Amino acid sequence: MCSVNVPSMDTEETIPIDTAIFGLGRMGKVHLHNLASTFRVNIKWIVDDISVHDDIRTLLQKYRLEHVTRVASLEEADTVHSDTSVKAVFVCTPTIQHGPVIKKALTAGKHVFCEKPIATSAETIKSCYAVAKEANRSLFCGFNK
Ligand SMILES: NC(=O)c1ccc[n+]([C@@H]2O[C@H](COP(=O)([O-])OP(=O)(O)OC[C@H]3O[C@@H](n4cnc5c(N)ncnc54)[C@H](O)[C@@H]3O)[C@@H](O)[C@H]2O)c1
């Protein structure tokens, strides 16, 4: 009789990671689309200025996330940072907002994906990576194109 090693469905790789998206503008919607297409993440939070985004609920319905994803206003962002179930955040805010959002997320123990560029000055970029090193978390800057 031969035995076959079948991977367990309960390994860490199969458990979706709770995530949050900061900023649901042009690039945030690209990431929402991509993240909604993978079983590896659970989009637990979206943070943005709800008053200027009357399409957020429609988008959540489109991706069948209306019972999964919570929407937080900019003023409620700290609630998301302090949600210990959230392991990674996707920063898609305007560049000027990247530094503060990245540093808060890293300090709160989350891994961070940030849209390019991390910041507009080398000094701020270096300080963000210094916070990542101190927090022992990943800070990944990505391009879509
Ligand atoms: N990778 C690429 O190819 C590519 C292309 C375009 C833009 N970008 C980058 O992506 C980032 C976003 O650009 P965009 O065109 O999507 O901008 P956008 O203005 O369309 O969207 C930004 C969103 O962030 C929200 N926001 C502002 N401050 C926030 C905060 N503190 N917390 C949460 N949300 C906040 C705004 O309300 C808005 O909805 C920029 O850094 C830009 O340089 C990357």
Side-chain angles (χ1 to χ4, degrees):
M1 194 168 97
C2 75
S3 71
V4 179
N5 278 335
V6 179
S8 159
M9 290 306 287
D10 292 330
T11 61
E12 278 189 22
E13 278 193 22
T14 60
I15 300 170
I17 300 166
D18 279 345
T19 62
I21 301 173
F22 281 73
L24 199 64
R26 191 159 57 113
M27 296 316 297
K29 285 174 184 149
V30 171
H31 289 289
L32 171 65
H33 175 82
N34 292 334
L35 293 171
S37 311
T38 170
F39 64 88
R40 298 181 73 178
V41 300
N42 173 42
I43 306 167
K44 186 165 180 187
W45 293 97
I46 287 173
V47 184
D48 205 323
D49 184 352
I50 299 163
S51 63
V52 297
H53 283 291
D54 51 9
D55 61 340
I56 289 185
R57 303 277 169 209
T58 311
L59 277 170
L60 293 185
Q61 281 170 2
K62 174 181 169 185
Y63 294 112
R64 302 187 179 194
L65 292 170
E66 65 268 39
H67 302 301
V68 176
T69 305
R70 303 178 208 174
V71 181
S73 66
L74 302 188
E75 294 72 28
E76 292 167 330
D78 282 349
T79 306
V80 179
H81 288 300
S82 60
D83 181 342
T84 53
S85 73
V86 174
K87 303 299 181 207
V89 307
F90 292 78
V91 180
C92 308
T93 66
T95 306
I96 192 81
Q97 294 291 329
H98 287 179
V101 177
I102 287 170
K103 287 177 183 176
K104 270 203 164 185
L106 289 168
T107 306
K110 285 96 169 78
H111 297 286
V112 175
F113 168 94
C114 182
E115 262 301 333
K116 60 86 184 167
I118 293 282
T120 52
S121 78
E123 192 185 0
T124 306
I125 293 169
K126 284 179 188 167
S127 70
C128 287
Y129 280 101
V131 174
K133 192 173 180 187
E134 177 72 25
N136 195 25
R137 289 294 178 269
S138 297
L139 169 56
F140 178 75
C141 177
F143 292 79
N144 281 298
K145 295 178 184 170

